[in-house]
Structures are given as C-alpha cells and as structure tokens.
Amino acid sequence: MQHHPIPHKIGRLIPWQGKDYRYFSGTAYLGMGSVPQFEQLIIQGIQQYGPNHGASRFSNVQLEVYEELEQQFASGAGAPYAALLSSGFMAGYLTQTLLCEMAHTVWAAPDAHPAILPANYQPDPEQSFHEFANECIQKSHQVKGQTIAILSNAVDTILPAIHDFDWVKDLSPANTYYLLVDDSHAFGLLGKGIYGTYSQWKSLPAHLIVAGSLGKGLAIPAGIVLGDAQFIGKVKNSAIFRGASPAAPGYCQAFLQAGKIYKQQQSLLQANMEYFFKLINNSSDQLRYDPRFPVITFKNNGWSPKLLEAGIMISSFSYPRPEDPPVDRIILSAYHMQEDLEKLTEVLTNTSI
C-alpha cells in the first residue's frame, strides 16, 4: 500500500508528483468540502462562536447551538431525542458502553464498526449478515426474560451492502431488545432526507438507537446519538458526555444553515450514481456494488496500483486491523464530473486482475 501525503484539501483531482489524479476515495460522499457556500457558512460560524468550545455542555455558560442541532436532527430523523458529541467514534463508543451495562448479552454483526464493539469482542468475519440475522432469531427463541443488545452498521461498506433489519420482527417476544445501528455511512445518503435510517426502523419491536459520525457525508466533525428519552438521558448523564468537550460550535452552526446545500449535493450525487451505474451496466463481472450506494468494491484485490497507473486514485488500505489485507474500493462523490466517471468506466472495462 502506497501513501500519498498532500499539503492541501482533497477534491476530485489530487496533484501528486507532478501529475493530477482523479480521486475516487475518502468518505466525502456529498462533496461538501468543494462547495464554496458551505465553506463560507463554516467561516461565519467560527466568527460567531470562535474556533472551539472546550467547556463541558453542563458548564454555567452554555452555547445554544448544540441544543438547536440536537432538536433539528431528532426532528428530521423522526427520533424522540438526540445527543451531540465531538465525534462519531465517541458517539458509538459511549452508546455501546451503556448498552453493555444494561444488557445480559450482546450480539454484534460481522461488519460492525470497532466504535460500537465492546472491548475484545471479535465478530466472525466469515459470517454473512444474513447468517448473523438467522442466528439471532434462533438464539432469541432459546432464552426468556433477557435484555439483548444487537449491534450493527447500517451499511457494509466493504461488500458493499445496505442492511435490512425487518428480521428483528421474528425475534422471540420473550426478551427485551436494544438495536444499535451505526449510521455513519448512511447520514446524507440513506433514509429520511440527510438524517439517516432511524425513521425506517423505529417501528421494529426493539428499543432503537442510532449513532454515528456527521463527518462523512455531512462534513461536520461531530457525532450523534438518536433514541428515546430514557436512553438519551443515560447518554447525557454519563461521565463521558458531561466531562468531554463538545463539537466545534461553528461547524454546528453551519450545519443548521446548510439544508439547501445538502439537498443540492444529494441530487448531484444521485445523478452521478445513476450515470456511472448505467455506464458500467455489469460490463465488468469483477465489480461488486449496490446502485443505491456510492461505493464499488472488487472481487479480487490488486486494482489500486493498476488504476493509479491510469491516473485514478482509489481507496486502498488494511481494514479494520493493520494485519488485514488491503481493501480496494471506489467511492463516488457529488463533486465528480461526467468526464471523471467516463474515464473511470473506460479504465475499469479495459483492465483485469
């Protein structure tokens, strides 16, 4: 795996060693960093609130922007309440920590992100999500009176695959279930508006909790937890939430004012996805993708150096552990132009591993 250190922000073109590379990596699905109006909103937010706010959310002087974002996000997602944290990893970590204290047992999906996994918990990487779901159903009918926490990503970004949780309806009603869904790669892409999948799963026979990063599609360095009054109360009364510094307030203010920009970028991304998947149209049997999601992976490794030779830089690194083999992925973004997608299609159809 070759690293490419650069001294500037990332966009659709990456200058490196005297050559421009078309960039198909990262998690900036909506391409917000390439929108001047969004950058201006961030600058205005910093001018209003300062570069950072290091005090506890519970100090005697409080910034109103945090509660405003929580209320807007909860309303948009169709959730009762929300809790804003400084990162998606912290949101996931705090949520699973509280669930582990409440639950008799924890079941984690094979692709669950490390942020939502208990310490030393190792899901079976060879197990499919379908096999995991069936196993949960079977185990649920073997116990009674248990409180069970089920942990999963909304999306497997490695396959890729969008997960369906309707199978939770088949769990035994003799237990109490908490379903934690990590929406880090769903915010801005899936579900209700830019607000993720909470509304899609809130009618399941489980206490639904959604947590995740706002720093990917939404480009806000923060994390959020969505849930009912009881659980969000536990989050906000925890020592971690009370003791940690909150998110940078200027970015939060920018988020509150960027609704039209997010909608615009969603439309651009959707158009790019439709155009690319129409171009590729199963012309390469070496690709894996879901046309509803802007990530494409390969059935075989080794694509990254081949594409780099053709001027295309994709995602390629060991994940989630350093000893794992590198995973090659193509990521589409709203900032891509049709000529980028055409070039990518040309290279893919004329390359084999």
Side-chain angles (χ1 to χ4, degrees):
M1 178 179 62
Q2 189 174 18
H3 295 280
H4 310 282
I6 59 174
H8 51 76
K9 72 177 182 179
I10 293 174
R12 56 175 284 268
L13 296 177
I14 299 291
W16 184 64
Q17 294 187 348
K19 180 179 177 180
D20 283 344
Y21 291 81
R22 299 175 198 265
Y23 184 71
F24 286 91
S25 184
T27 59
Y29 304 115
L30 298 184
M32 297 298 292
S34 298
V35 182
Q37 300 96 313
F38 183 64
E39 288 187 346
Q40 191 58 40
L41 289 179
I42 294 172
I43 292 170
Q44 292 171 359
I46 292 173
Q47 290 173 336
Q48 179 175 348
Y49 283 105
N52 191 40
H53 181 66
S56 168
R57 286 282 300 276
F58 292 86
S59 63
N60 55 320
V61 176
Q62 301 176 6
L63 302 185
E64 60 185 12
V65 69
Y66 297 126
E67 189 170 338
E68 289 177 2
L69 191 153
E70 288 171 342
Q71 291 175 352
Q72 177 173 309
F73 212 101
S75 176
Y81 294 95
L84 181 72
L85 295 102
S86 59
S87 75
F89 203 101
M90 180 175 285
Y93 173 80
L94 176 54
T95 300
Q96 64 87 2
T97 299
L98 293 174
L99 285 178
C100 287
E101 294 173 357
M102 299 164 57
H104 293 104
T105 188
V106 173
W107 300 338
D111 63 313
H113 191 276
I116 62 171
L117 288 177
N120 300 318
Y121 192 107
Q122 292 288 342
D124 181 1
E126 302 300 322
Q127 187 182 46
S128 71
F129 187 80
H130 179 71
E131 291 169 340
F132 165 74
N134 285 337
E135 182 181 71
C136 289
I137 294 169
Q138 292 172 7
K139 290 192 297 187
S140 76
H141 289 274
Q142 296 170 359
V143 294
K144 290 184 178 180
Q146 298 286 296
T147 297
I148 300 169
I150 302 171
L151 318 178
S152 177
N153 295 350
V155 180
D156 183 334
T157 61
I158 303 301
L159 277 178
I162 299 171
H163 292 322
D164 189 317
F165 295 96
D166 277 334
W167 55 268
V168 172
K169 298 174 184 176
D170 297 325
L171 297 173
S172 169
N175 303 294
T176 298
Y177 304 98
Y178 285 83
L179 173 63
L180 168 58
V181 179
D182 186 331
D183 259 12
S184 296
H185 293 271
F187 290 138
L189 302 180
L190 303 175
K192 186 178 180 183
I194 61 171
Y195 298 101
T197 66
Y198 190 98
S199 62
Q200 188 174 356
W201 308 123
K202 65 181 181 181
S203 297
L204 293 174
H207 297 279
L208 177 63
I209 303 158
V210 166
S213 170
L214 307 185
K216 301 185 187 303
L218 302 181
I220 302 297
I224 203 149
V225 182
L226 303 169
D228 59 25
Q230 180 184 19
F231 190 80
I232 297 302
K234 286 181 176 292
V235 170
K236 291 194 171 183
N237 287 324
S238 69
I240 290 178
F241 187 89
R242 295 179 67 89
S245 297
Y251 284 87
C252 297
Q253 179 66 14
F255 172 85
L256 293 173
Q257 298 178 332
K260 290 183 179 179
I261 302 176
Y262 283 126
K263 187 174 182 180
Q264 161 196 299
Q265 295 303 106
Q266 279 186 314
S267 297
L268 291 174
L269 175 60
Q270 185 61 40
N272 279 346
M273 290 166 58
E274 291 175 1
Y275 187 66
F276 174 75
F277 291 127
K278 183 178 179 180
L279 285 176
I280 205 73
N281 194 27
N282 294 320
S283 60
S284 174
D285 60 2
Q286 302 180 74
L287 304 180
R288 299 183 301 194
Y289 60 88
D290 184 318
R292 299 170 296 171
F293 193 68
V295 174
I296 302 95
T297 59
F298 302 89
K299 294 180 181 178
N300 300 309
N301 285 334
W303 282 81
S304 178
K306 293 272 190 179
L307 296 180
L308 194 64
E309 290 176 8
I312 294 174
M313 193 177 292
I314 66 170
S315 173
S316 182
F317 60 95
S318 300
Y319 182 86
R321 298 165 301 180
E323 63 269 24
D324 291 332
V327 178
D328 292 343
R329 295 185 298 167
I330 296 167
I331 290 89
L332 306 180
S333 173
Y335 55 56
H336 286 125
M337 302 176 68
Q338 286 193 356
E339 64 185 73
D340 302 323
L341 305 175
E342 291 165 357
K343 177 63 175 179
L344 175 62
T345 302
E346 176 190 342
V347 174
L348 289 173
T349 53
N350 292 313
T351 305
S352 61
I353 297 295

